[in-house]
Amino acid sequence: MNDVTLKLKPARRERLADVLYGQILEQITSGELVEGAKLPSEARICRDFQVSRPVVREALMRLQADGLVVSRQGIGTFVKSRPSSKLTDFAASADIASYLRAFEPRLALEAESAALAAMRRTKAQLIQIGEALAALETAFSRGESGWEEDFAFHLAVARAAGNELFPRLLEELRDILSGSMRMALGLTRHGSDDRRRRVLEEHRKIFAAISSQNADLARLYMRHHLTESRARITGSYGDL
Amino acid sequence: MNDVTLKLKPARRERLADVLYGQILEQITSGELVEGAKLPSEARICRDFQVSRPVVREALMRLQADGLVVSRQGIGTFVKSRPSSKLTDFAASADIASYLRAFEPRLALEAESAALAAMRRTKAQLIQIGEALAALETAFSRGESGWEEDFAFHLAVARAAGNELFPRLLEELRDILSGSMRMALGLTRHGSDDRRRRVLEEHRKIFAAISSQNADLARLYMRHHLTESRARITGSYGDL
Amino acid sequence: MNDVTLKLKPARRERLADVLYGQILEQITSGELVEGAKLPSEARICRDFQVSRPVVREALMRLQADGLVVSRQGIGTFVKSRPSSKLTDFAASADIASYLRAFEPRLALEAESAALAAMRRTKAQLIQIGEALAALETAFSRGESGWEEDFAFHLAVARAAGNELFPRLLEELRDILSGSMRMALGLTRHGSDDRRRRVLEEHRKIFAAISSQNADLARLYMRHHLTESRARITGSYGDL
Amino acid sequence: MNDVTLKLKPARRERLADVLYGQILEQITSGELVEGAKLPSEARICRDFQVSRPVVREALMRLQADGLVVSRQGIGTFVKSRPSSKLTDFAASADIASYLRAFEPRLALEAESAALAAMRRTKAQLIQIGEALAALETAFSRGESGWEEDFAFHLAVARAAGNELFPRLLEELRDILSGSMRMALGLTRHGSDDRRRRVLEEHRKIFAAISSQNADLARLYMRHHLTESRARITGSYGDL
């Protein structure tokens, strides 16, 4: 483990922590910061990046929550795992933190709407979910990223919840979700066959649970799918 | 139990099920439909209200979910409980269904943001939540409904979740929430002392759980508070 | 805040952490350790109580989880709240930690069995739950602690889950639960009218949710009831 | 779809519904009852099997919950999917229902103990979980069923929850769990490589979540693992 210098460009934007997160992430994905490397101290990052301590802590906390670095009390912060070097092909590094953050409200909202959809979906709504699933499969088989089909699937589930506020809130997140899905599925398109198979299987299980009107199962599978989607982006599981 | 005629004004609006819900609700709160009274058949309501069967089913399903009517397989639908006659003083009857519906995404989003707030709140954020709580107590002691203070409290919790999407989604619901809170707290203002005491206590427990950084407890208390708020509106617990 | 000496009797029993917990608890409930008092250091407690560091940490962690003390990083551990002085009238101080611990598996098992009971209970099973509830009300009105009626209520819910393993596991915990309930309801019997009213109301809501076949509501109310029961014992809410 | 006769041996045992469940299951796994076949009416099964209506309903309800049959209101009950014909090689047909039932309390207890283990595990406890995982991998690579290693893994997680009641309750279920695990892993041993890979991966993720002290993740992965384990037995996913 060797202490390294972060090459940081001073920034004066609102989302400073996101930008800092992105710059550190970029150096991890590029391999400039190798696994096991020790990051500079908080004080040092503050000075180099010309931001206050809370901004640095925020960025480091998120990097740790995303499994990219690990902090050891009183010793320092170390690079833990390296996401796919292609990550920054699909999203600007300053946006990645915000894309990952979108999973938090999604987990809450979509797990609930999946459960409600299992209880309330009409036949017509179930068919729409099934059609979105088929479209996603087709997109994958054509080598497309399928992010629009993915969004359509999740929106169809939200609509089937029988409460127009669920699709409305998802639409409110459309911009950030489309960026997030483009990034996630861009990586998947360039990943292994196994990875694509998993993504489809996760969607199929959500559909099956809603179809068989099992609310607890639908909640669990949606929650699991979103958790795995996020982990695939940060590379917590290698290529999976 | 006697079969009754619903006095229905034919409607041609988008949210037909809400309007139908509101008209039936109005007749229950006014006492025209007494407890135990049997509602007309679905077919009859379709004809009188001039809407399709799915609209009627939707309205009846919501009335049942709200504990106002109960369906007995093959027998019919009966009035179960009567909300406060003051309910329609605080909201247009056609809006009540939509106000109640807002609790579903709130339960999902706010339970999660309360848990995250317990894990991530800064001291400054905790103080803001505490100030909103104090303002709500003051409003109650002055005989005000306190709905703005209530909204401020929930927004402060969402902000403390450390993810700007939580407050953003709550702001997106501001219109509907302000109507919903005005209705809920309007009823509480005219309710018993015990009712006001409970509302404050529920908020205090959320604050205490976030303060002591107990995520599971914060999630439970937020979930419980919103569930009870909804039940107080539909009158499931008498004046409580 | 003054540093104090803990009067500790060296112990050589298996559940050393429980015994230590009990001795500290006793000094808090008796008032020997007042609110705000600083506990001796971990090293000091190790020496005085003649146990290893992990035992001390375990006991302090539980005291903190129970809301009785609070640790401030690098400063020390302080007495936070004082449970009813009657607590040790109803249970041996060395048993209290184990009684409180019973709430953890109960929360998991009973929240699930309440949800399943809402989905599967037969009419006969619902009647049994209702009878147990009525018996609890009668016991309270007679000034009895009602712990046997309380156990019967929870067992009736477990039986209604339609899976004989739920009542079997509750029976396995019968000894520890009867001690726990005797302590909890002993305190309630000597508490305020408001406290008894709350205990009954919590049971009534569980019954109502199971009766109306609302699984999510039954899960929430059971979880809330057990959380509040535990908090009433440790005195987190004063006399409530 | 053709109506069929169930060859039923009248039974006079306590767990009548389990025995009935087992006999119908046997005829589905053996192929006597093909997919799409309509089961006899409840009344007919009562007569042939010489049991009361509640017993028949109980058995059919469980078969439906397990995804083996599907009931269509007012039409009848139909065979939906066929589990592996090897299922009855690994367990007596009358025991299968009870083995499946064990997943319900396990889901509740083990999801909670996994979450607590993530928060409280000591280093030594984490090592024990890791060793149990390694032993399971070794058993799989040797072509053994590995059920003892599986039980050891789950027990190690329960022990790491820092509350001795969790392992005690798991021990209380040891008999039923060992039968259940023998059946599940017996099927897996004769299943595809992919199936074994998944079983291991599910355990690895639980370990990783506990290792990284992420309680929500540990709870989700344990819940997901047990749900998938159950689905693999009933064959809801083909050979997976």
Side-chain angles (χ1 to χ4, degrees):
Chain A
M1 292 191 205
N2 50 323
D3 200 337
V4 298
T5 307
L6 289 179
K7 295 172 199 153
L8 297 172
K9 316 154 211 160
R12 263 169 216 86
R13 285 181 40 194
E14 207 199 342
R15 295 183 310 143
L16 278 171
D18 280 4
V19 175
L20 177 56
Y21 176 106
Q23 291 192 16
I24 298 176
L25 177 68
E26 216 168 343
Q27 293 177 51
I28 297 175
T29 57
S30 71
E32 257 172 280
L33 286 172
V34 296
E35 275 171 68
K38 186 182 174 191
L39 263 56
S41 69
E42 279 184 22
R44 181 70 193 270
I45 302 179
C46 287
R47 215 176 52 222
D48 287 358
F49 194 59
Q50 299 178 14
V51 290
S52 63
R53 194 63 77 99
V55 169
V56 175
R57 283 205 185 125
E58 170 78 13
L60 294 180
M61 190 198 76
R62 291 197 174 285
L63 285 163
Q64 176 152 10
D66 292 342
L68 299 167
V69 306
V70 60
S71 287
R72 299 220 183 82
Q73 192 88 35
I75 308 182
T77 300
F78 301 88
V79 175
K80 190 175 160 198
S81 72
R82 178 180 172 180
S84 166
S85 62
K86 297 195 195 79
L87 183 56
T88 44
D89 293 358
F90 297 106
S93 61
D95 289 331
I96 293 176
S98 108
Y99 291 165
L100 291 172
R101 215 144 57 222
F103 282 98
E104 286 183 350
R106 283 187 74 190
L107 256 175
L109 276 177
E110 298 203 48
E112 192 62 21
S113 60
L116 292 171
M119 291 189 275
R120 299 180 185 162
R121 92 281 188 299
T122 62
K123 258 191 190 165
Q125 287 167 332
L126 182 65
I127 289 169
Q128 281 170 351
I129 302 172
E131 285 173 350
L133 173 60
L136 184 64
E137 289 172 337
T138 302
F140 271 34
S141 71
R142 282 186 188 150
E144 297 165 12
S145 89
W147 75 265
E148 282 170 313
E149 289 79 3
D150 191 15
F151 189 79
F153 178 89
H154 288 271
L155 196 57
V157 171
R159 281 192 184 124
N163 183 331
E164 81 280 2
L165 295 175
F166 286 102
R168 184 171 138 193
L169 291 170
L170 216 55
E171 289 282 8
E172 169 71 14
L173 298 176
R174 183 188 274 269
D175 280 357
I176 199 165
L177 286 200
S178 71
S180 169
M181 286 171 169
R182 233 180 300 216
M183 174 175 69
L185 294 174
L187 285 166
T188 291
R189 185 154 70 108
H190 292 82
S192 64
D193 282 348
D194 188 47
R195 180 168 175 155
R196 274 183 294 280
R197 199 173 53 75
R198 280 163 193 262
V199 172
L200 287 179
E201 191 181 289
E202 287 166 16
H203 284 90
R204 264 184 226 120
K205 285 187 181 174
I206 295 167
F207 172 73
I210 293 173
S211 169
S212 64
Q213 306 186 285
N214 188 327
D216 284 340
L217 204 59
R219 186 184 281 119
L220 173 69
Y221 283 146
M222 180 61 89
R223 196 170 273 281
H224 185 255
H225 165 54
L226 294 174
T227 300
E228 297 301 88
S229 297
R230 196 177 189 294
R232 278 188 291 261
I233 295 172
T234 56
S236 310
Y237 306 146
D239 177 52
L240 300 184
Chain B
M1 292 192 206
N2 50 323
D3 201 337
V4 296
T5 306
L6 290 178
K7 294 176 201 150
L8 299 171
K9 315 155 212 160
R12 260 169 222 86
R13 284 181 43 192
E14 209 201 339
R15 296 183 309 144
L16 278 172
D18 279 4
V19 176
L20 177 55
Y21 176 105
Q23 292 193 14
I24 298 176
L25 177 67
E26 216 168 342
Q27 294 177 49
I28 297 175
T29 55
S30 70
E32 260 171 279
L33 286 172
V34 295
E35 274 172 69
K38 186 183 176 189
L39 262 56
S41 69
E42 280 183 22
R44 181 67 195 272
I45 302 179
C46 286
R47 216 175 53 223
D48 287 359
F49 195 59
Q50 299 179 15
V51 290
S52 64
R53 193 63 76 103
V55 169
V56 175
R57 285 210 182 120
E58 171 77 13
L60 292 180
M61 191 197 76
R62 290 197 175 285
L63 285 163
Q64 176 151 11
D66 292 342
L68 299 168
V69 306
V70 59
S71 286
R72 299 221 182 81
Q73 191 90 33
I75 308 182
T77 300
F78 301 87
V79 175
K80 191 176 158 198
S81 73
R82 179 181 172 180
S84 165
S85 62
K86 296 194 197 84
L87 182 56
T88 43
D89 292 359
F90 298 105
S93 60
D95 289 331
I96 294 175
S98 108
Y99 289 164
L100 291 173
R101 215 143 57 221
F103 283 99
E104 287 183 350
R106 284 186 73 190
L107 256 175
L109 277 176
E110 297 202 48
E112 191 62 21
S113 60
L116 292 171
M119 292 189 275
R120 300 181 185 160
R121 93 285 187 297
T122 62
K123 258 190 190 164
Q125 288 168 331
L126 183 66
I127 289 169
Q128 280 170 351
I129 302 173
E131 285 172 350
L133 173 60
L136 184 64
E137 289 173 338
T138 304
F140 271 34
S141 71
R142 282 186 188 150
E144 299 165 11
S145 89
W147 75 264
E148 282 170 314
E149 289 78 4
D150 191 16
F151 189 80
F153 177 89
H154 288 272
L155 197 58
V157 172
R159 281 193 186 124
N163 182 330
E164 81 279 4
L165 295 175
F166 285 102
R168 182 169 140 195
L169 291 170
L170 216 55
E171 289 283 8
E172 168 72 15
L173 297 177
R174 184 189 272 270
D175 280 358
I176 200 166
L177 286 201
S178 70
S180 169
M181 287 171 168
R182 233 178 299 215
M183 175 174 69
L185 294 175
L187 285 166
T188 292
R189 185 154 67 109
H190 291 82
S192 63
D193 281 348
D194 188 47
R195 180 167 177 156
R196 273 182 296 280
R197 198 174 52 77
R198 280 163 193 261
V199 171
L200 287 178
E201 189 181 290
E202 288 166 16
H203 284 89
R204 263 184 228 122
K205 285 188 180 173
I206 294 167
F207 172 74
I210 292 173
S211 170
S212 63
Q213 306 186 286
N214 188 327
D216 284 340
L217 204 59
R219 186 185 281 120
L220 173 69
Y221 283 145
M222 181 60 89
R223 197 171 273 281
H224 184 255
H225 164 54
L226 293 174
T227 300
E228 298 302 88
S229 296
R230 196 179 189 293
R232 279 187 290 262
I233 294 172
T234 57
S236 308
Y237 306 147
D239 177 50
L240 304 182
Chain C
M1 291 192 205
N2 50 324
D3 201 335
V4 297
T5 307
L6 289 179
K7 293 173 201 152
L8 297 172
K9 314 154 211 161
R12 263 168 217 87
R13 283 182 43 193
E14 208 199 342
R15 296 183 310 143
L16 277 172
D18 279 5
V19 176
L20 177 56
Y21 176 105
Q23 292 192 14
I24 298 176
L25 177 69
E26 217 167 341
Q27 294 176 50
I28 297 175
T29 56
S30 71
E32 259 172 280
L33 286 172
V34 296
E35 275 172 69
K38 186 182 175 191
L39 264 55
S41 69
E42 278 183 24
R44 182 69 194 271
I45 301 180
C46 287
R47 216 174 52 223
D48 287 358
F49 194 58
Q50 299 179 15
V51 289
S52 64
R53 194 63 77 101
V55 169
V56 175
R57 285 210 182 119
E58 171 78 14
L60 293 180
M61 190 197 77
R62 292 198 174 285
L63 284 163
Q64 176 152 11
D66 292 342
L68 300 168
V69 306
V70 61
S71 286
R72 300 222 181 81
Q73 192 90 34
I75 308 181
T77 300
F78 300 87
V79 175
K80 191 176 159 197
S81 72
R82 177 180 173 180
S84 166
S85 60
K86 296 195 196 82
L87 183 56
T88 43
D89 293 358
F90 299 105
S93 61
D95 289 331
I96 293 176
S98 107
Y99 291 164
L100 291 173
R101 215 143 60 221
F103 283 98
E104 286 183 350
R106 284 187 74 189
L107 256 175
L109 277 176
E110 298 203 47
E112 191 63 20
S113 60
L116 292 171
M119 293 190 274
R120 299 181 184 161
R121 92 285 189 298
T122 61
K123 258 189 191 165
Q125 287 167 333
L126 182 65
I127 289 169
Q128 280 170 352
I129 302 172
E131 286 172 350
L133 173 60
L136 185 64
E137 289 172 337
T138 304
F140 272 33
S141 71
R142 283 187 188 149
E144 298 165 10
S145 90
W147 74 266
E148 282 170 313
E149 289 77 5
D150 191 15
F151 189 79
F153 178 89
H154 287 271
L155 196 59
V157 172
R159 282 194 185 123
N163 183 331
E164 81 279 3
L165 295 175
F166 285 102
R168 183 170 137 193
L169 291 170
L170 217 54
E171 290 281 8
E172 168 72 14
L173 298 177
R174 183 188 275 269
D175 279 358
I176 199 165
L177 286 200
S178 71
S180 169
M181 286 171 168
R182 233 179 299 215
M183 174 174 69
L185 295 174
L187 284 166
T188 292
R189 186 154 67 110
H190 292 81
S192 64
D193 281 347
D194 189 45
R195 179 166 178 158
R196 273 182 296 280
R197 198 174 53 76
R198 279 162 193 262
V199 172
L200 287 179
E201 190 181 289
E202 288 167 16
H203 285 89
R204 263 184 228 122
K205 285 188 180 173
I206 295 167
F207 172 73
I210 293 173
S211 170
S212 64
Q213 307 187 286
N214 189 327
D216 283 341
L217 204 59
R219 185 183 283 120
L220 173 69
Y221 283 145
M222 181 61 88
R223 196 170 273 281
H224 185 255
H225 164 53
L226 293 174
T227 300
E228 297 302 88
S229 297
R230 195 178 190 295
R232 278 187 291 261
I233 294 172
T234 56
S236 309
Y237 305 146
D239 177 52
L240 302 184
Chain D
M1 293 193 202
N2 49 323
D3 201 337
V4 297
T5 307
L6 291 178
K7 294 175 201 151
L8 298 172
K9 315 154 214 160
R12 260 171 220 85
R13 285 180 42 193
E14 208 201 341
R15 296 182 311 143
L16 278 171
D18 279 4
V19 176
L20 177 56
Y21 176 104
Q23 292 192 15
I24 297 175
L25 176 68
E26 216 169 343
Q27 293 177 50
I28 296 175
T29 56
S30 70
E32 259 172 279
L33 286 172
V34 296
E35 275 171 68
K38 188 183 173 187
L39 263 56
S41 69
E42 279 183 21
R44 182 68 194 272
I45 301 179
C46 286
R47 216 174 54 221
D48 287 359
F49 194 59
Q50 299 180 13
V51 290
S52 63
R53 194 62 77 100
V55 170
V56 174
R57 284 209 183 121
E58 170 77 13
L60 292 180
M61 190 198 78
R62 291 197 173 285
L63 285 163
Q64 177 151 10
D66 292 342
L68 300 168
V69 305
V70 59
S71 286
R72 300 222 181 79
Q73 191 91 34
I75 307 182
T77 300
F78 300 88
V79 176
K80 192 176 158 197
S81 73
R82 178 181 172 179
S84 166
S85 61
K86 295 193 199 83
L87 182 56
T88 44
D89 293 359
F90 298 105
S93 60
D95 289 332
I96 293 175
S98 107
Y99 290 164
L100 292 172
R101 214 144 56 222
F103 282 99
E104 286 182 351
R106 284 187 74 190
L107 257 175
L109 276 176
E110 298 202 45
E112 191 62 21
S113 59
L116 292 172
M119 292 189 276
R120 300 181 185 160
R121 93 285 187 296
T122 62
K123 257 189 192 166
Q125 287 168 331
L126 183 65
I127 289 169
Q128 281 169 351
I129 302 173
E131 286 172 349
L133 174 60
L136 184 64
E137 289 172 339
T138 304
F140 271 34
S141 71
R142 283 184 187 152
E144 297 165 11
S145 88
W147 75 264
E148 282 170 314
E149 289 78 4
D150 191 15
F151 189 78
F153 177 89
H154 288 272
L155 197 58
V157 172
R159 281 192 186 125
N163 182 331
E164 80 279 2
L165 295 175
F166 285 102
R168 181 169 140 194
L169 291 171
L170 216 55
E171 290 282 7
E172 168 72 15
L173 296 177
R174 184 189 272 270
D175 280 357
I176 200 165
L177 285 201
S178 71
S180 170
M181 285 172 169
R182 233 179 299 216
M183 175 173 70
L185 293 175
L187 285 166
T188 291
R189 184 154 69 110
H190 291 81
S192 63
D193 282 347
D194 188 46
R195 179 167 176 156
R196 272 182 296 281
R197 198 173 53 74
R198 280 163 192 263
V199 172
L200 286 179
E201 191 181 289
E202 287 166 17
H203 285 89
R204 262 184 229 121
K205 285 188 181 172
I206 294 167
F207 172 73
I210 292 173
S211 169
S212 63
Q213 308 187 284
N214 188 327
D216 284 341
L217 205 57
R219 186 185 280 121
L220 174 68
Y221 283 146
M222 181 59 89
R223 197 170 272 281
H224 184 254
H225 164 54
L226 293 174
T227 300
E228 297 302 88
S229 296
R230 197 178 190 292
R232 278 188 291 261
I233 295 172
T234 57
S236 308
Y237 305 146
D239 177 51
L240 303 183

